[in-house]
Amino acid sequence: MLSSPDLSFSRILPIDVFNQLGELLQQMQFEAPRSAALVLTEAVLARIMSKSEWQKQKFTLVVSEQFSALLVGNQEENVGMCVAGSFPDLNKVSLPQRENQIEREFIPLTPDATLYASLTFNSQAIASFISQLKDLFAHDSHTYQHLERYLQIPSLNDATLQGKFTLLLLEYLLPLQNQFFTASDTNFNHVSVCQPIEDALRKQIYQERLLNQVTTQIRKSQDLQVIMATAIAQVREFLELDRLVIYKFDESRVETRLIASVQQSTLAQSKTQSQQNWQQYRGCIVYEARATDAIPSVLNYQEKNCFVPPFECWEKYRQGFTLAVDDVEKTYVLSECLLNFLRRSKVRAKLAAPIIYEDKLWGLLIANQCHDSHHWTESEINLLTSIAEQLAIAIYQSELMRSLTEEKQTLEHRVIERTMALREALVAAEAANRLKSEFLATISHELLTPLTYVIGMSSTLLRWPLGELSQRQRDYLQTIHDSGEHLLEMINDILDLSQIEAGKAVLNISEFSLTNIAQRTVESLQEKAISQQIQFKLDLQIAPQRDRFTADVSRLEQILWNLSSNAIKFTPEGGSVILRLWVEDDNAIFQVEDTGIGIPEEQLPLLFEKFQQLDTPYRRRYEGTGVGLALTKQLIELHRGRIEVESTVAIGSIFTVWIPQQPMSVVS
């Protein structure tokens, strides 16, 4: 909000009061922290040879983006009146000219001297003064260039800063009338001519305070009803109105396209459409403030008979037109129905300012004087227009908050629905996974019994003397026995995996030798490695004093056996597999390195998935169910450990396992 520049004045002041006003202006530079301020006094001319007219004046200049002002004092003789003007130019007050082409010598100022003082906030006057001031300096000087930059800055002052200065200004001017001019000789008795200026300044201060209060209320409150009710009550009291109301259109919008459609239609069609649109866009009074209860209330009133579709008037309102009617008896003398309506409503003078929201005519802010005609001044019209603009901001703020609240509630509802759906899906997935694990565990147990008989009977028959079985029969029995052993291994893996997923697996913690389990693993797979012409080696990097470890020894052997057998299976003839073992801190680290076929990088995420074979089912060259590595990972995580894989196709793979030392207890 910008302040009016028309707050200038000119008057005779004692030198001490003039100096105090100069100090007051200099203080204003600290009230505008957002931008640097230029503050100059007549002292800037002390180092140059200036013209005599500059030597006969004192001045204080403040220039910033938020507040600019100029105070000039001239030594004048026989000045005995106060000029209450708007300070249109500086020829009279800022730059004394030569009288009769004779230069007057500078007269030193005494403490009881007086100055013809002029104060202005007019940006053009300030810019003109700066322009004349800079011409006193050389064009290539820093001072000239500095002043040149500040020439473009002066603009309308910030209302808040203007109000602060005006309050302080009154503290100096009001006592001056009693202290200085009363004590002076009779030549200054007519100083009361300045009273209108003081009254205008005081009213300007109150008006700025009111606008600031409304703006503050809008910023602090999100309740549109509170903002509307508070604003019209304060404005009614300030303007001493009999009644102030807010008229809102039912649809809160009157669009330009309705006007265009009326103008383009024929007369008959225009009349019909106008009536229909008028019925659609009627409104009513939604807020009201009255001076006394004796004034009739028009709250919620909606006129149904007298109003004719005023589309042209609506378009003017939409463009910012403010309607001022000093006397309805004269303005509406030809509109008998409307005049009677205004008489019944006790309206003698009215002032209507549009409330425009998003380029739509939301409503009207209407001021009424009920008993006598009233000439609406420019300041009253400006104030009501400013209040209407602030109310439009409040409406926008309220609508934005309502929209955000609705969107937030909709989003929260969607999030709740989605969360519930995900929770239900998760519960269903967990139930299905649990049922699957229980089913696998049950089936595995049911398969173990007959499989045990198959393995046992075939093993017994293989121990018979050679003469009782032919070689062919013995080969068949060996195939049955080996297939049973393989099936038993697969069922045990599935059973272990299902138990872990069902949460039924436990770790039987005991103390053992890491070297022993590594050696047993190598010995158990050495025959298989030799049969495939693969070199299987053990690389122990562990000190004897770090050999003892606590964990589930059977699970740990199962981890090493799965990783080592898997490495042998995928390593071609002539390759090698190395099992390394070392200890870091409280972690036993096992590493299985092979020179096998390697794993493509895009297939690494599938490596530990259940029932996954990385070679295609149509070109499968390696046996297996895809359970071994998945079970291995589960057993490692059951120990709260981790596993990492590094692999390069056609070069080999490295599996590294970290197993932390377990406490001596049974961990589930």
Side-chain angles (χ1 to χ4, degrees):
M1 181 175 67
L2 299 177
S3 175
S4 170
D6 298 325
L7 297 176
S8 308
F9 72 91
S10 300
R11 66 183 302 167
I12 296 175
L13 294 177
I15 184 62
D16 57 343
V17 175
F18 180 90
N19 292 335
Q20 289 176 348
L21 290 180
E23 294 173 0
L24 179 62
L25 278 177
Q26 295 180 46
Q27 293 175 11
M28 293 303 296
Q29 64 176 309
F30 304 108
E31 298 293 336
R34 288 185 297 172
S35 59
L38 172 69
V39 179
L40 295 178
T41 65
E42 66 277 2
V44 73
L45 304 177
R47 56 191 177 90
I48 65 171
M49 295 295 294
S50 59
K51 299 178 181 179
S52 61
E53 55 262 36
W54 286 92
Q55 299 175 3
K56 297 180 177 65
Q57 70 174 0
K58 294 172 62 68
F59 67 87
T60 299
L61 173 66
V62 177
V63 181
S64 70
E65 294 179 356
Q66 296 174 270
F67 181 85
S68 299
L70 174 63
L71 176 65
V72 178
N74 294 308
Q75 292 177 288
E76 295 289 341
E77 299 176 359
N78 299 324
V79 178
M81 63 177 296
C82 175
V83 181
S86 59
F87 196 37
D89 57 73
L90 291 175
N91 292 328
K92 303 176 182 177
V93 296
S94 65
L95 300 177
Q97 304 297 320
R98 300 177 181 178
E99 296 181 1
N100 299 324
Q101 303 297 324
I102 300 175
E103 294 186 2
R104 294 183 296 175
E105 295 296 326
F106 176 73
I107 304 174
L109 296 175
T110 60
D112 57 347
T114 60
L115 291 176
Y116 184 82
S118 301
L119 175 66
T120 183
F121 306 98
N122 186 281
S123 58
Q124 294 181 353
I126 295 175
S128 176
F129 183 89
I130 296 176
S131 178
Q132 297 181 54
L133 181 63
K134 72 179 179 63
D135 290 336
L136 299 176
F137 299 87
H139 289 192
D140 57 347
S141 67
H142 177 74
T143 304
Y144 182 94
Q145 298 173 1
H146 199 61
L147 291 172
E148 184 74 22
R149 288 197 300 270
Y150 277 90
L151 256 178
Q152 310 301 325
I153 293 181
S155 59
L156 293 180
N157 287 347
D158 179 78
T160 302
L161 296 179
Q162 184 73 60
K164 288 182 179 179
F165 179 78
T166 307
L167 277 175
L168 296 175
L169 181 62
L170 283 177
E171 293 180 6
Y172 290 108
L173 292 183
L174 292 180
L176 182 63
Q177 183 173 356
N178 296 326
Q179 296 177 4
F180 174 70
F181 292 100
T182 302
S184 301
D185 55 49
T186 56
N187 291 332
F188 302 100
N189 288 338
H190 57 282
V191 74
S192 59
V193 177
C194 293
Q195 188 63 38
I197 298 179
E198 297 168 357
D199 294 340
L201 288 173
R202 187 181 296 106
K203 190 170 184 179
Q204 178 72 17
I205 293 172
Y206 294 154
Q207 180 171 322
E208 291 173 354
R209 282 181 179 175
L210 178 59
L211 286 174
N212 288 334
Q213 288 175 3
V214 174
T215 304
T216 303
Q217 181 72 20
I218 291 174
R219 292 175 180 173
K220 290 184 177 180
S221 176
Q222 302 295 335
D223 192 336
L224 184 61
Q225 293 184 352
V226 173
I227 294 174
M228 292 284 192
T230 304
I232 64 172
Q234 292 175 340
V235 174
R236 189 216 63 76
E237 182 177 359
F238 174 76
L239 293 180
E240 299 179 351
L241 301 171
D242 292 331
R243 181 169 53 210
L244 183 63
V245 301
I246 295 178
Y247 181 90
K248 177 185 177 184
F249 291 100
D250 290 341
E251 298 295 328
S252 295
R253 58 188 65 206
V254 178
E255 303 188 36
T256 310
R257 59 182 178 84
L258 296 177
I259 305 165
S261 64
V262 172
Q263 294 175 345
Q264 295 171 1
S265 304
T266 62
L267 183 60
Q269 293 173 338
S270 174
K271 184 176 181 180
T272 302
Q273 186 175 3
S274 298
Q275 294 294 339
Q276 292 174 350
N277 289 330
W278 173 245
Q279 294 295 331
Q280 180 181 0
Y281 290 103
R282 278 188 175 183
C284 67
I285 294 173
V286 293
Y287 296 96
E288 178 186 67
R290 294 176 294 161
T292 63
D293 292 338
I295 298 173
S297 173
V298 293
L299 187 63
N300 299 322
Y301 187 81
Q302 183 176 17
E303 220 296 314
K304 300 179 180 179
N305 301 316
C306 298
F307 291 153
V308 179
F311 292 108
E312 294 182 1
C313 186
W314 285 352
E315 173 62 10
K316 290 181 180 179
Y317 280 137
R318 197 188 68 81
Q319 295 177 355
F321 172 73
T322 298
L323 175 64
V325 178
D326 295 344
D327 191 344
V328 299
E329 298 289 343
K330 297 179 180 179
T331 303
Y332 299 111
V333 66
L334 299 178
S335 303
E336 184 177 357
C337 181
L338 182 56
L339 183 58
N340 290 333
F341 161 70
L342 295 174
R343 287 169 177 170
R344 290 194 303 270
S345 302
K346 297 294 184 182
V347 177
R348 184 62 187 270
K350 72 173 186 177
L351 178 63
I355 301 175
I356 300 174
Y357 164 66
E358 290 187 343
D359 293 331
K360 305 292 191 305
L361 185 59
W362 184 91
L364 301 171
L365 179 62
I366 305 175
N368 294 156
Q369 293 294 7
C370 298
H371 303 294
D372 301 310
S373 60
H374 177 77
H375 174 67
W376 301 103
T377 64
E378 184 178 354
S379 63
E380 292 173 329
I381 296 174
N382 292 337
L383 176 60
L384 204 69
T385 302
S386 300
I387 295 296
E389 293 172 353
Q390 295 299 320
L391 294 180
I393 295 175
I395 294 168
Y396 173 80
Q397 177 178 285
S398 176
E399 289 296 318
L400 180 61
M401 184 59 62
R402 181 188 60 80
S403 177
L404 291 176
T405 302
E406 290 179 355
E407 291 181 3
K408 178 184 176 184
Q409 292 174 349
T410 301
L411 182 59
E412 289 177 349
H413 183 66
R414 291 178 180 175
V415 170
I416 292 173
E417 289 182 346
R418 184 60 177 165
T419 302
M420 293 178 63
L422 291 175
R423 185 180 293 111
E424 292 174 357
L426 179 61
V427 171
E430 290 176 346
N433 192 54
R434 186 171 57 255
L435 290 174
K436 177 203 69 177
S437 299
E438 293 175 354
F439 171 76
L440 290 175
T442 302
I443 293 299
S444 299
H445 280 295
E446 294 299 326
L447 290 175
L448 284 177
T449 301
L451 187 59
T452 302
Y453 287 115
V454 172
I455 296 173
M457 296 300 292
S458 61
S459 179
T460 301
L461 291 173
L462 285 173
R463 288 196 297 270
W464 282 9
L466 186 60
E468 298 184 12
L469 293 174
S470 64
Q471 185 60 39
R472 189 173 188 178
Q473 290 172 333
R474 187 172 292 277
D475 291 341
Y476 287 157
L477 286 174
Q478 188 65 48
T479 301
I480 294 172
H481 181 270
D482 292 344
S483 298
E485 289 285 355
H486 179 70
L487 184 59
L488 178 62
E489 178 185 335
M490 182 183 68
I491 292 175
N492 284 333
D493 286 347
I494 295 175
L495 181 60
D496 288 341
L497 188 61
S498 62
Q499 286 180 337
I500 292 175
E501 290 183 343
K504 298 179 180 179
V506 295
L507 294 179
N508 296 318
I509 306 300
S510 62
E511 189 179 56
F512 57 90
S513 169
L514 291 172
T515 302
N516 290 343
I517 65 168
Q519 290 175 344
R520 287 199 297 268
T521 301
V522 173
E523 291 172 359
S524 64
L525 292 172
Q526 194 64 254
E527 183 178 351
K528 181 179 180 181
I530 294 174
S531 66
Q532 295 183 211
Q533 299 181 14
I534 295 173
Q535 187 179 7
F536 188 21
K537 298 185 295 184
L538 176 62
D539 181 11
L540 293 175
Q541 303 176 7
I542 181 171
Q545 63 271 19
R546 304 294 301 272
D547 187 52
R548 304 303 294 177
F549 199 74
T550 54
D552 189 330
V553 61
S554 62
R555 302 291 193 186
L556 205 55
E557 286 190 54
Q558 188 175 3
I559 292 170
L560 296 180
W561 195 92
N562 285 344
L563 292 176
S564 300
S565 63
N566 201 65
I568 293 172
K569 179 169 60 174
F570 291 99
T571 300
E573 294 182 359
S576 64
V577 176
I578 301 175
L579 172 60
R580 295 189 182 90
L581 169 62
W582 70 91
V583 176
E584 289 183 1
D585 299 330
D586 291 333
N587 294 288
I589 302 175
F590 302 91
Q591 190 176 78
V592 178
E593 181 180 358
D594 64 60
T595 58
I597 62 175
I599 306 167
E601 184 177 357
E602 65 273 10
Q603 293 186 347
L604 285 176
L606 304 175
L607 189 61
F608 297 104
E609 295 293 330
K610 293 175 290 185
F611 308 109
Q612 287 285 344
Q613 283 283 356
L614 300 186
D615 53 341
T616 63
Y618 301 105
R619 298 182 179 179
R620 176 168 293 182
R621 295 173 293 169
Y622 306 97
E623 62 180 13
T625 60
V627 176
L629 287 179
L631 176 61
T632 299
K633 187 172 186 293
Q634 295 277 14
L635 292 175
I636 293 171
E637 291 177 348
L638 195 61
H639 281 83
R640 295 188 295 276
R642 74 179 194 275
I643 182 171
E644 293 182 359
V645 183
E646 300 176 18
S647 184
T648 305
V649 176
I651 294 179
S653 304
I654 300 176
F655 288 77
T656 307
V657 177
W658 285 264
I659 300 294
Q661 185 143 279
Q662 308 296 311
M664 290 294 295
S665 61
V666 179
V667 183
S668 62

